[in-house]
Amino acid sequence: MTMTTPFAPSIIQENFLSLKDYSTDEIMDLLNLAIELKKPENKYLPLLQGKVLGMIFEKSSTRTRVSFEAGMLQLGGNAMFLSSQDTQLGRGETIADTGRVLSGYLDGLMIRTFHQSSVQELADFSSIPVINGLTDDYHPCQVMADLMTILEHFGTLKGKKMAYIGDGNNVANSLMIGAAKVGMDISIASPIAYAPKPEMIALAKQIAQYTGSTIEITDNPEQAVSGSDAIYTDVWASMGQEQETIERFQHFQGFQVNENLVKHAKTDYIFMHCLPAHREEEVTTAILEGPHSVIFQQSENRLHAQKAILVALMADK
């Protein structure tokens, strides 16, 4: 669709479900818009005046809920929290019916849930834009904030190397796809049993053929970190995997981001984490709080990146 506001991209998809759906130019367009909206003079532009975003949560959240709600308010609109336990979703109403009903009330929907198929079904049956706030497969909003942070810090994305150390989860999947789309190199180090799914690796490598980026999967953290510009990690047991914590802790020994591991990175590397962090597990406090850490800039950028997505999808419709 074509946007008329000068603060929105000229090319945008109807929904924001996964970065695989977006071209390199569209992603860069959104990132540049996010950087513009972050400027103090643009913080409260009423680009979504009178618009209402519904936020469906089947998984709890701090950053996702607060950043989307604050973003809508700063843009002049409103956000409505919809817990699955407080709506008919919790009593068996289908995603399809929910999407059709809410399309008559709202201007956009964000959903944070388990299955990617649920997000896709919501988008298929809604007549308003749908945003993926997180699924077990993807976390595209997080990675837009991550790419924004790297772009702010280095001034470019193409040719930069990211090392991701840890679980091959939804963040790792979206990082691979996002890096491939913008021409970054990425090396993911995970225990063999916890590497990203083969189909996700294949998808990222297919994209990388067109952008010149490299996708490396290894079980050697030092190899992954070697020559990296950014080092990224996440918790070893994500939400819903708490019963696996002890087993995972055993498998992930040797995958901690610590003072010894970061010696293999470039001297001006940045450390990233999507938070919340388990200090002294996947990362030491010294690294988390150290001079290379950009975790709170990264966290704040969730707000700005999502405001760009909201404006691109919902403004002037």
Side-chain angles (χ1 to χ4, degrees), residues 108-120:
L109 276 168
M110 185 282 296
I111 182 169
R112 182 178 171 94
T113 187
F114 295 89
H115 304 296
Q116 185 69 18
S117 59
S118 297
V119 177
Q120 186 63 59

Side-chain angles (χ1 to χ4, degrees), residues 1-5 8-12 14 312 315-317:
M1 60 186 167
T2 301
M3 312 299 298
T4 58
T5 170
S10 57
I11 303 173
I12 194 68
E14 293 294 327
D316 295 336
K317 282 194 67 179

Side-chain angles (χ1 to χ4, degrees), residues 8-251:
S10 57
I11 303 173
I12 194 68
Q13 305 291 331
E14 293 294 327
N15 302 294
F16 191 79
L17 308 185
S18 169
L19 293 179
K20 66 183 176 66
D21 303 325
Y22 279 70
S23 69
T24 299
D25 287 344
E26 287 173 326
I27 291 172
M28 294 306 302
D29 207 2
L30 284 172
L31 292 174
N32 289 328
L33 174 58
I35 290 170
E36 283 298 311
L37 292 174
K38 187 176 180 178
K39 293 177 179 179
E41 63 269 25
N42 294 331
K43 183 175 182 179
Y44 294 107
L45 289 173
L47 300 174
L48 296 182
Q49 185 75 42
K51 304 284 187 176
V52 181
L53 175 73
M55 306 187 301
I56 300 173
F57 283 87
E58 294 188 306
K59 284 189 175 185
S60 58
S61 168
T62 298
R63 277 152 288 276
T64 298
R65 178 178 177 179
V66 175
S67 56
F68 268 109
E69 192 161 341
M72 281 300 296
L73 291 173
Q74 290 178 12
L75 290 166
N78 287 281
M80 186 178 297
F81 176 79
L82 302 168
S83 166
S84 61
Q85 298 307 309
D86 299 325
T87 64
Q88 295 298 331
L89 277 173
R91 300 181 62 212
E93 184 171 42
T94 67
I95 288 281
D97 286 353
T98 298
R100 285 181 283 194
V101 169
L102 293 181
S103 293
Y105 306 146
L106 305 169
D107 301 287
L109 276 168
M110 185 282 296
I111 182 169
R112 182 178 171 94
T113 187
F114 295 89
H115 304 296
Q116 185 69 18
S117 59
S118 297
V119 177
Q120 186 63 59
E121 183 178 1
L122 187 65
D124 289 343
F125 286 90
S126 298
S127 57
I128 55 177
V130 172
I131 299 169
N132 179 3
L134 173 142
T135 65
D136 290 343
D137 286 338
Y138 299 115
H139 200 352
C141 291
Q142 175 65 56
V143 171
M144 288 299 292
D146 301 337
L147 295 176
M148 178 183 175
T149 305
I150 297 169
L151 181 60
E152 286 179 322
H153 193 83
F154 293 110
T156 187
L157 294 172
K158 190 170 181 61
K160 293 297 179 181
K161 178 185 176 181
M162 173 184 289
Y164 175 89
I165 312 299
D167 188 25
N169 57 16
N170 48 6
V171 173
N173 293 339
S174 286
L175 283 171
M176 278 195 300
I177 294 169
K181 286 283 187 177
V182 299
M184 288 184 66
D185 300 327
I186 185 168
S187 183
I188 293 183
S190 305
I192 294 173
Y194 297 94
K197 295 176 182 178
E199 59 268 28
M200 295 293 181
I201 298 171
L203 174 60
K205 287 186 174 181
Q206 181 181 16
I207 296 168
Q209 292 178 354
Y210 298 96
T211 60
S213 66
T214 61
I215 311 293
E216 179 185 48
I217 309 298
T218 179
D219 61 355
N220 186 329
E222 292 183 359
Q223 177 181 331
V225 168
S226 179
S228 61
D229 299 284
I231 301 174
Y232 198 123
T233 192
D234 192 4
V235 294
W236 292 340
S238 298
M239 191 181 305
Q241 300 170 336
E242 290 83 1
Q243 73 279 5
E244 304 174 19
T245 299
I246 295 175
E247 179 183 356
R248 283 173 170 265
F249 192 86
Q250 294 171 344
H251 282 280

